[in-house]
Amino acid sequence: MGRPNFATPTDPEEFVFLLLDGFTHLALSSSIEVLRVANLLSKKDLYAWSLMKVGGGSQLSSNGLETVVQSDLRSLKAGTSLYVVSGLAAEDKVTKKLSAFLRAQYRHGVNLGALCSGAYVLAEAGLLNGNTCAVHWQYYPMFNEKFPDIKVSPNAFHAQSRPFTASGGVAGAELMLHIISKAHGRDFAVEIADQLVLPKVRHEDDVQRMPDHIRFGTRNHILLQSLAYMSANLEEPISTREIADNLGISGRQIERLFRKYIGRSPGRHYKFLRLEHAKNLLATTDLAIIQIALATGFTSPSHFSKTFRAEYGETPYGSYRDKKG
């Protein structure tokens, strides 16, 4: 595809980051760095950004660094993107003043978003009702209990509908790369990722890594041990019978647990884990397809390709070329 043409002058797209006390610094800095490098590589002011906090002045982040902001809460022009950035204990940072401000900005046509636990702040303001969001996995139990009408996505970020949300850490950068990819093409987003030495430009359906007991909503030790056996044996898969024998139970018990908590058979889930590992290897290494097939327990490249396509709707060869940009 080549680089997009940046010759036509336009006003920069404006991003404002609203920092709450104890915000996750990595989520903020990684997001801004993507915007900065986009300007650097394009040699244009594609994006502009500023920082905001209640009361103005400066804000303390979770790592103890103090960050100077440019403004107190202020009304923004329609089309501006306003991202709430929070960290631990976001539930303690919500105030009536903050919620009213966010609702007012929404009514004025500001594009709201959130990084890390900032999604909780939007939820408390009633701005995610009936919607989907990405939030750090530590907030899953709280969301399920307190906001049953909000669908929590397991993905690193959600950008299919506004507000756009990212789960935390470098997911902020990944969301910004996704936004840039949609505006200026994937090749340009890949170039930015390369400049920042990021391993890949995530697709929106890439899930965030989280503990299995959070992902599947159970602490059943047999299920969790079974999953651990699978994760430890991706290159040389073992049978459900072997897992059952190691745990001193019947294969039928494992089948029932997987159907109950995961919604599919142990064999199907095991295959999914191997394919997810293969997808990660495709995106982050220079291994040949045959090496990736063998590293994930497939007997041949053709078997691997057929199984990969059935799961993701594309061949690993296509995904490999996409990764190489």
Side-chain angles (χ1 to χ4, degrees):
M1 282 179 61
R3 296 182 111 219
N5 185 354
F6 299 113
T8 304
T10 58
D11 291 332
E13 185 176 345
E14 186 176 359
F15 285 78
V16 178
F17 297 92
L18 172 54
L19 309 183
L20 302 188
D21 185 39
F23 72 93
T24 303
H25 203 284
L26 179 59
L28 172 70
S29 57
S30 67
S31 301
I32 290 177
E33 280 300 286
V34 169
L35 303 179
R36 180 188 69 81
V37 173
N39 289 354
L40 176 71
L41 295 179
S42 67
K43 296 181 173 58
K44 299 289 181 182
D45 290 330
L46 298 178
Y47 301 101
W49 55 87
S50 61
L51 307 179
M52 171 190 291
K53 74 172 282 283
V54 179
S58 63
Q59 188 64 283
L60 203 64
S61 68
S62 57
N63 61 15
L65 293 179
E66 193 167 1
T67 301
V68 177
V69 306
Q70 283 73 51
S71 71
D72 189 357
L73 301 184
R74 60 184 174 86
S75 185
L76 302 172
K77 65 181 180 181
T80 301
S81 293
L82 173 63
Y83 280 80
V84 180
V85 192
S86 189
L88 294 174
E91 60 274 19
D92 297 333
K93 312 300 189 303
V94 180
T95 64
K96 291 182 179 179
K97 177 181 179 180
L98 178 59
S99 293
F101 169 75
L102 292 171
R103 287 192 292 266
Q105 297 311 296
Y106 174 76
R107 291 194 298 270
H108 294 159
V110 171
N111 297 321
L112 293 180
L115 306 179
C116 199
S117 62
Y120 180 90
V121 180
L122 296 184
E124 280 281 24
L127 296 165
L128 288 175
N129 292 342
N131 211 327
T132 299
C133 75
V135 67
H136 194 279
W137 57 262
Q138 287 181 315
Y139 274 79
Y140 276 33
M142 185 183 293
F143 262 75
N144 291 334
E145 178 70 26
K146 193 165 185 178
F147 308 112
D149 61 333
I150 299 174
K151 181 179 178 181
V152 180
S153 169
N155 299 341
F157 61 86
H158 174 77
Q160 291 183 350
S161 59
R162 293 190 184 275
F164 290 173
T165 48
S167 57
V170 295
E174 290 159 345
L175 173 58
M176 297 301 144
L177 286 169
H178 176 81
I179 291 170
I180 290 170
S181 177
K182 292 296 184 183
H184 301 290
R186 184 172 175 81
D187 286 353
F188 184 51
V190 169
E191 189 178 355
I192 295 169
D194 287 344
Q195 180 75 17
L196 290 168
V197 201
L198 291 172
K200 62 182 291 190
V201 177
R202 274 190 191 254
H203 292 283
E204 191 175 12
D205 60 357
D206 287 350
V207 300
Q208 57 175 304
R209 184 62 185 160
M210 68 190 78
D212 286 331
H213 74 271
I214 295 289
R215 175 165 292 170
F216 301 115
T218 178
R219 288 190 177 272
N220 184 287
H221 72 279
I222 294 175
L223 178 69
L224 297 178
Q225 284 181 285
S226 299
L227 290 167
Y229 273 118
M230 291 178 176
S231 295
N233 293 277
L234 297 177
E235 186 172 350
E236 296 182 6
I238 58 178
S239 67
T240 301
R241 168 56 60 191
E242 289 176 281
I243 295 174
D245 288 343
N246 285 331
L247 296 175
I249 60 173
S250 71
R252 213 172 261 185
Q253 284 178 274
I254 292 180
E255 288 276 352
R256 284 198 296 267
L257 287 171
F258 271 77
R259 296 286 185 187
K260 178 179 179 180
Y261 292 107
I262 299 180
R264 52 190 168 199
S265 70
R268 181 165 176 75
H269 186 70
Y270 202 170
K271 181 174 66 177
F272 172 76
L273 292 178
R274 290 156 56 207
L275 288 170
E276 283 291 291
H277 183 48
K279 191 165 71 166
N280 184 57
L281 291 175
L282 284 165
T284 61
T285 74
D286 291 320
L287 292 174
I289 298 295
I290 187 171
Q291 292 175 296
I292 291 175
L294 295 175
T296 50
F298 293 93
T299 56
S300 68
S302 60
H303 179 215
F304 171 51
S305 180
K306 181 179 179 181
T307 308
F308 192 98
R309 183 166 190 166
E311 184 71 33
Y312 300 116
E314 63 175 344
T315 70
Y317 299 92
S319 179
Y320 184 73
R321 288 194 298 268
D322 184 48
K323 176 253 178 178
K324 293 301 180 187

